[in-house]
Amino acid sequence: MRAQRPELVTDGPAPARPRWFEMAMSSDHKDVGRLYIGAALSFLVLGIVCFLMMRLQLGVPENNLIEPVTFNRLLSVGSATLIVLFALPLAFGLYTYVVPLQIGARSLAFPRLSSLSVWLYIFGGGLLYVSFIYTPPEAGFNSWPPLSDTIFIENNGVDVWIVAVGLAVLGIVLQSINLSVTIARMRAPGLAWRRLPAFTFSGAVSSWTMIIAGSTMLAALVMLEVDRHFSGVFFDAGAGGAPIYYQHLSWIFFTGCYLVFLLPAFGAISEILPVFSGKPLLSRTALLGSLAAIMPLGLLAWMQNMMSASIPIGWLYAAMLMALLLTIPIGAIFVNWIGTLAGGVLRMRAPMVFALAAISTLSFGLIGELIQSVIPVNWLLADTTASTAATGYVLVGGPILGGLAALYYWFPKMTGRTMSEGLAKPSAALIVLGAQVTFIPLFLAGVDGQQVDIFKFFKASDAINAMQLDTLNLIATIGAFVLALGIVLSLINAYIGIKGGTPAGHDPWGGETLEWFATSPPPPHNFDVVPDVRSDEPLRDIREAVRRHDASSTKPAETTEPVA
Amino acid sequence: MLGPHAAHSPNADDLNTLYWVMLAIGLVLLVAINLAVIGIVMRFRSARGRQPRRLVVRRPAQLGTAGVFAAIVVVTFVLGVIKTHDAKQVEASGPNGLQATSTLLAQRSLTLPATPASQAPLQVKACGQQWIWRYEYPDGTYSYYELVVPVDTTVILNLCSTDVVHRWWVPGLSGKFDATPGESNQTWFRADQTGDYDGASYAFSGASYAVMRTRVRVVDVPTYQAWLQQQGADIQQAQTFVQQVNGEG
């Protein structure tokens, strides 16, 4: 029997669904971007709680506040949280929101894929935390086999880690594909690659990085799970595999993550500095070229994390060379920033303050990394808290200060309101101060030989702890709380801003890029008209045209000049 | 405070030298960047009536800047290769050291000296296991936690692991090297002074990772030989006792 034709019912529009439901189901890049950013900041709070508990345990020597296994679980969950559930999603959330607006597109290339990607990530992250009800993972931040194999860790904690990290990384890889296609194919007329805003360009580079590094990690995770439960032999030394294969694969991923700590912050800072110093970047070509160069050099330097492994020395020299070569593009970016600031008229508003704080904090982390890029120094400092300190500076300078700078900068566009300047400046000061008070003592303790990831350290009477490890660790713990307070202040500021910030208008900062052409917040289709782009500062051109138009229209005789 | 442990072995000395060079380069860059940013912010904060002034960068300036960074890369890379090579170059035992006890074996990751057989290094097998280090001497004697070696004698450590990945390091004597199941890896040291050197494992290895520490006790040659004999006898005695107990049980 044939199905009947459906009847058209015309008794009014469908009842409005609740706002949260619309938001969750939405494939609009602005909704997906806000979901990403909101979830990433929530996971940041959870990650901070994990790390503060660990710092409390390490505040005094031979502390018994937290049991060893619990400490290892906090370590495993906390590290996964800060890297995979906070830093990457915050970066890709900002890209998801801002990139289509900056390139004059009305959506992403694959809108539904972006909705899938954010839910894969949120589901994976939720799974990691739900595991505290039964067995959380305990195999350390990168779950190396053989330790992560069933012989040594029988419970399902590692499986939770594999699935949770796997889902989140899968989401990020899908979104990377989405963004790279969007940037390649959906730019406004006239918006050539060389005219791309620095943040969007860094988005393209970050996406390419994650397509490579994220897919590598997905492969490694599948192999690890096959090894655990399906008698696989990928990483089993006794059966023809080798544990070192996993080390290579996971370090390719974590090196990619490190680059995604840097690239979005570099991009955002390079947007903010010109706007708040009233002059364009010193050299756009050098900046964009440097951003692009960071990806291949950085990814090829993955073995610089494995310099103590039994790898033929030639490969280690190659990794060392790649890591050292990063000095050139990163140095060029710093010179570019300083040259952009010099001679400008600096408006010290919140985004600018956070950008400057990020530059200073990043310089500590990147130079710390440069010092241990040479093999002999790496043999001294790797796996000590000195290397933690260098990575910590980059994590605070990049995703936290750089991410907050971006958030302060684009918050008016996302919500139509501005965040309070009165809360922003103390927050930035506390974060910078907290980072220094945490990481300088950790660096010194690491030079003295304190290991990473230990659940307790021993009293200073031991020869290995010859210096005042007690004092250094206590100061670092106090610093960590100052740092956390600074971060929480900005999160509170964002919450207050959403509820009752002062209305911002469409272009509160006088930006030069296309997102400020849309209303705040933008309508679902972003732009009524997508303007032609004639230079790398399209909004300046539009303002000029409007000014010319206004000027000419007040003189009744001369209205013949056409307006763009 | 800022420096690593004093070096008591030639290869540790290579490591420490390069640490100070890199720290100096790093500190100069750090001060330059931060002073520039702070100075510019003080100087150019917004003021009425001033217009932003655009800097013009010409090609020579750009190339010059890139050249400065390229020079840092070249210098640090060359120094890194030289010092790595030096640290991998095993030196012969000194005059006060132990005379030859074992023949030389081919090594994958170390360069061995061309020395008379009497100055051949002492080869010790260092095996990591959860959560202790086991040292096996050429005559089959073994010890846990504490490695006893003679002063001024080149000691080659053949690292191995019976379970998960471990990483051996005693500050002042060497760098960090992995003990991975199924892989062979070596390091070496030649302690110039008697005394105790504390170290630990530096690769996360599960529940009791923090207590997986080790000690190198450097003694003079007669003490070492006496200790080795005593340790061998003690092991023999313990084994006999265990066999007796098993026989009775």
Side-chain angles (χ1 to χ4, degrees), chain A residues 46-98:
Chain A
L46 293 171
I48 287 175
V49 171
C50 289
F51 273 86
L52 285 185
M53 285 164 80
M54 285 156 62
R55 263 334 300 175
L56 271 183
Q57 162 72 9
L58 293 174
V60 289
E62 301 186 29
N63 197 355
N64 290 321
L65 181 70
I66 296 173
E67 284 189 21
V69 173
T70 314
F71 184 92
N72 291 347
R73 289 174 172 173
L74 289 173
L75 169 75
S76 310
V77 171
S79 319
T81 304
L82 282 194
I83 300 170
V84 180
L85 304 183
F86 159 65
L88 301 186
L90 180 68
F92 281 90
L94 286 166
Y95 287 142
T96 303
Y97 195 100
V98 173

Side-chain angles (χ1 to χ4, degrees), chain A residues 234-277:
Chain A
F234 295 108
F235 310 127
D236 184 351
I244 204 169
Y245 297 158
Y246 182 85
Q247 297 180 19
H248 281 291
L249 296 174
S250 74
W251 277 124
I252 291 174
F253 173 66
F254 285 112
T255 309
C257 292
Y258 188 88
L259 300 181
V260 178
F261 294 171
L262 295 176
L263 288 165
F266 285 176
I269 293 169
S270 307
E271 296 276 308
I272 291 167
L273 295 191
V275 169
F276 288 88
S277 51

Side-chain angles (χ1 to χ4, degrees), chain A residues 187-460:
Chain A
R187 303 192 303 276
L191 188 57
W193 277 96
R194 66 176 187 284
R195 288 177 180 164
L196 273 186
F199 188 70
T200 292
F201 193 83
S202 82
V205 181
S206 296
S207 301
W208 302 332
T209 308
M210 268 301 130
I211 290 173
I212 296 171
S215 323
T216 310
M217 189 60 173
L218 290 176
L221 291 173
V222 170
M223 287 187 259
L224 192 62
E225 186 63 16
V226 169
D227 266 14
R228 272 179 68 81
H229 288 302
F230 304 99
S231 348
V233 293
F234 295 108
F235 310 127
D236 184 351
I244 204 169
Y245 297 158
Y246 182 85
Q247 297 180 19
H248 281 291
L249 296 174
S250 74
W251 277 124
I252 291 174
F253 173 66
F254 285 112
T255 309
C257 292
Y258 188 88
L259 300 181
V260 178
F261 294 171
L262 295 176
L263 288 165
F266 285 176
I269 293 169
S270 307
E271 296 276 308
I272 291 167
L273 295 191
V275 169
F276 288 88
S277 51
K279 60 200 270 281
L281 280 168
L282 186 65
S283 162
R284 278 184 66 80
T285 338
L287 187 95
L288 298 191
S290 301
L291 285 176
I294 286 174
M295 178 193 126
L297 293 176
L299 279 179
L300 286 173
W302 86 87
M303 267 191 280
Q304 93 124 335
N305 298 290
M306 303 172 63
M307 282 176 176
S308 57
S310 57
I311 297 172
I313 195 71
W315 290 107
L316 296 185
Y317 287 151
M320 171 168 81
L321 181 62
M322 292 301 158
L324 288 174
L325 278 174
L326 277 173
T327 311
I328 298 173
I330 292 178
I333 289 173
F334 274 82
V335 170
N336 223 312
W337 288 337
I338 290 169
T340 306
L341 290 169
V345 177
L346 309 185
R347 289 183 291 155
M348 301 303 283
R349 306 294 300 275
M352 182 67 156
V353 171
F354 272 85
L356 293 171
I359 292 176
S360 168
T361 310
L362 278 172
S363 72
F364 279 83
L366 290 166
I367 287 168
E369 210 62 46
L370 168 68
I371 289 175
Q372 22 176 334
S373 293
V374 290
I375 297 171
V377 183
N378 192 286
W379 283 340
L380 284 180
L381 298 188
D383 313 298
T384 68
T385 50
S387 66
T388 319
T391 315
Y393 271 122
V394 166
L395 196 61
V396 173
I400 291 177
L401 282 170
L404 285 176
L407 198 65
Y408 275 100
Y409 183 60
W410 282 298
F411 193 83
K413 184 53 56 186
M414 294 177 190
T415 63
R417 297 166 186 278
T418 39
M419 285 200 256
S420 147
E421 299 268 323
L423 272 176
K425 283 168 188 170
S427 161
L430 283 177
I431 295 175
V432 171
L433 181 77
Q436 297 294 356
V437 175
T438 311
F439 297 130
I440 288 178
L442 281 184
F443 185 86
L444 296 176
V447 171
D448 199 37
Q450 183 174 329
Q451 302 124 286
V452 183
D453 304 343
I454 43 170
F455 60 84
K456 69 174 174 189
F457 68 97
F458 292 87
K459 280 208 178 69

Side-chain angles (χ1 to χ4, degrees), chain A residues 116-171:
Chain A
L116 173 68
S117 86
V118 75
W119 285 107
L120 283 172
Y121 147 60
I122 292 175
F123 188 74
L127 189 66
L128 195 63
Y129 277 88
V130 168
S131 78
F132 273 108
I133 298 169
Y134 43 103
T135 335
E138 59 189 66
F141 101 92
N142 46 11
S143 289
W144 276 11
L147 180 64
S148 59
D149 211 340
T150 37
I151 311 166
F152 299 103
I153 296 178
E154 222 177 317
N155 62 48
N156 292 115
V158 180
D159 302 311
V160 171
W161 186 87
I162 292 173
V163 175
V165 171
L167 288 177
V169 173
L170 179 62

Side-chain angles (χ1 to χ4, degrees), chain B residues 36-57:
Chain B
V37 170
I38 293 169
I40 287 170
V41 169
M42 303 298 244
R43 166 87 176 70
F44 294 105
R45 293 188 68 141
S46 61
R48 265 172 216 282
R50 196 160 57 76
Q51 286 296 312
R53 191 170 48 82
R54 190 166 181 177
L55 298 184
V56 183
V57 277

